[in-house]
Amino acid sequence: MSFSGHAQKTSKRTFPMESVLMPQVPRGNYLHLQEEKQRLQLKKFLLHRMFLVAKITANTEKKIIADYYEQVLQSTLKLHKGEAVTGFLLIYPTSILHILESSSDTLYQILLDHLDQKKNDTEFFIHGMKIIVVSHNIPTRLFMQWHVSEIKAPVMYLDDVTQTQSLEEVLTEFLTQTHKLAIHLLKTVKVSAKGPGDNLHQLAPELLIPEQIIKYLCKSEEFMDPEAFLNMYNKPIHITLDSEVVWPAPSHF
């Protein structure tokens, strides 16, 4: 009997209750996971991609548009050092397609400069701008630099899809073609090169977005202009917690 009692005491010392309750694997949280991903990717800031379309005054020279945006990008880089801007500016006869990749602060500053120019310059050549899509926290860039290309020769299109398709279908085609064009430039344009130049309509005519699609998106009221977007961006967020909701609702006599 004494041997049995000794065995029970030994069993209690070997399996204490505290060891069963303690977790065997250290637990993390979603914030730590995101921080680790950013550290592994060696990012200094979250990367975002913004798609812009706008109308331009007819017969506006490419140099005027390119010089304006180059000046904006240079002044923005002075305020946000290390946050490089990459993307693509496609200049059509009466419209533009602009893709930008950078931090949220840099993109905010570019839109703010557009509004300042629009308010101070009555003859500003860019108007009717719409923000089509803003992709947040993208994993990698589609562009290694910022390039400008002008569509000089007219591109012939068989049909106008804006007359037969819904906005959702037109937008899907717009994003699909834009992505294909970005992949093509990523594979063909070398780093530190000047870009595809002004013969993109000859190099990849099947990848170009028809200008009527850009004009169609500029007219669509479903997309925000820079002013509405920045107002929403600066608007404080009011969140009602569950603890603040009283049920049933108080009644007044």
Side-chain angles (χ1 to χ4, degrees):
M1 296 296 293
S2 59
F3 179 78
S4 175
H6 179 72
Q8 292 178 359
K9 291 182 180 180
T10 303
S11 176
K12 290 182 180 180
R13 291 171 184 169
T14 306
F15 303 99
M17 184 61 67
E18 290 79 6
S19 63
V20 178
L21 299 178
M22 291 179 62
Q24 302 298 319
V25 180
R27 295 182 178 180
N29 54 42
Y30 186 73
L31 176 61
H32 293 161
L33 178 61
Q34 293 297 318
E35 291 176 345
E36 181 66 15
K37 287 175 61 178
Q38 297 299 326
R39 187 187 66 80
L40 293 176
Q41 295 174 0
L42 299 178
K43 285 186 178 180
K44 296 181 180 180
F45 55 89
L46 295 180
L47 187 62
H48 309 284
R49 183 181 299 121
M50 182 167 59
F51 293 76
L52 300 171
V53 295
K55 301 176 183 178
I56 57 175
T57 305
N59 301 321
T60 303
E61 296 182 1
K62 169 193 173 183
K63 187 176 185 302
I64 297 177
I65 302 174
D67 289 347
Y68 162 72
Y69 275 111
E70 287 179 358
Q71 182 180 1
V72 171
L73 297 182
Q74 290 178 3
S75 60
T76 303
L77 287 176
K78 292 180 181 179
L79 297 175
H80 307 281
K81 295 181 179 180
E83 301 180 8
V85 178
T86 58
F88 190 77
L89 174 61
L90 198 61
I91 303 176
Y92 290 84
T94 58
S95 60
I96 60 173
L97 165 60
H98 203 182
I99 305 175
L100 295 165
E101 298 173 334
S102 190
S103 68
S104 59
D105 292 338
T106 299
L107 298 180
Y108 177 92
Q109 192 65 36
I110 294 174
L111 293 178
L112 193 62
D113 188 273
H114 173 81
L115 289 183
D116 292 339
Q117 289 290 335
K118 184 179 177 181
K119 292 178 181 179
N120 299 328
D121 188 358
T122 56
E123 298 182 356
F124 189 46
F125 47 84
I126 301 176
H127 52 91
M129 178 175 288
K130 291 295 180 63
I131 301 172
I132 305 303
V133 176
V134 180
S135 301
H136 298 285
N137 194 16
I138 57 179
T140 184
R141 296 178 184 264
L142 280 177
F143 305 91
M144 295 296 102
Q145 297 178 145
W146 184 77
H147 300 293
V148 182
S149 184
E150 182 180 14
I151 307 300
K152 289 184 177 180
V155 181
M156 301 302 296
Y157 305 105
L158 297 178
D159 56 349
D160 186 0
V161 297
T162 61
Q163 302 296 325
T164 58
Q165 296 182 353
S166 64
L167 175 60
E168 183 178 356
E169 292 172 332
V170 173
L171 180 59
T172 300
E173 181 175 348
F174 168 80
L175 295 175
T176 302
Q177 288 295 102
T178 304
H179 184 76
K180 290 181 180 179
L181 179 61
I183 296 298
H184 172 76
L185 296 176
L186 181 64
K187 294 179 179 179
T188 56
V189 178
K190 297 181 180 180
V191 180
S192 75
K194 293 184 179 181
D198 296 332
N199 60 343
L200 189 59
H201 57 280
Q202 297 176 350
L203 299 177
E206 72 282 357
L207 299 179
L208 290 178
I209 307 297
E211 188 176 19
Q212 60 260 28
I213 289 184
I214 298 178
K215 292 182 178 180
Y216 175 77
L217 296 177
C218 289
K219 296 179 181 179
S220 300
E221 298 181 356
E222 285 80 359
F223 304 108
M224 289 186 178
D225 57 18
E227 184 175 3
F229 180 85
L230 293 179
N231 289 336
M232 184 186 68
Y233 184 88
N234 294 323
K235 186 178 181 181
I237 300 177
H238 298 282
I239 301 177
T240 302
L241 301 177
D242 292 340
S243 59
E244 299 175 354
V245 179
V246 179
W247 185 260
S251 57
H252 301 279
F253 295 97

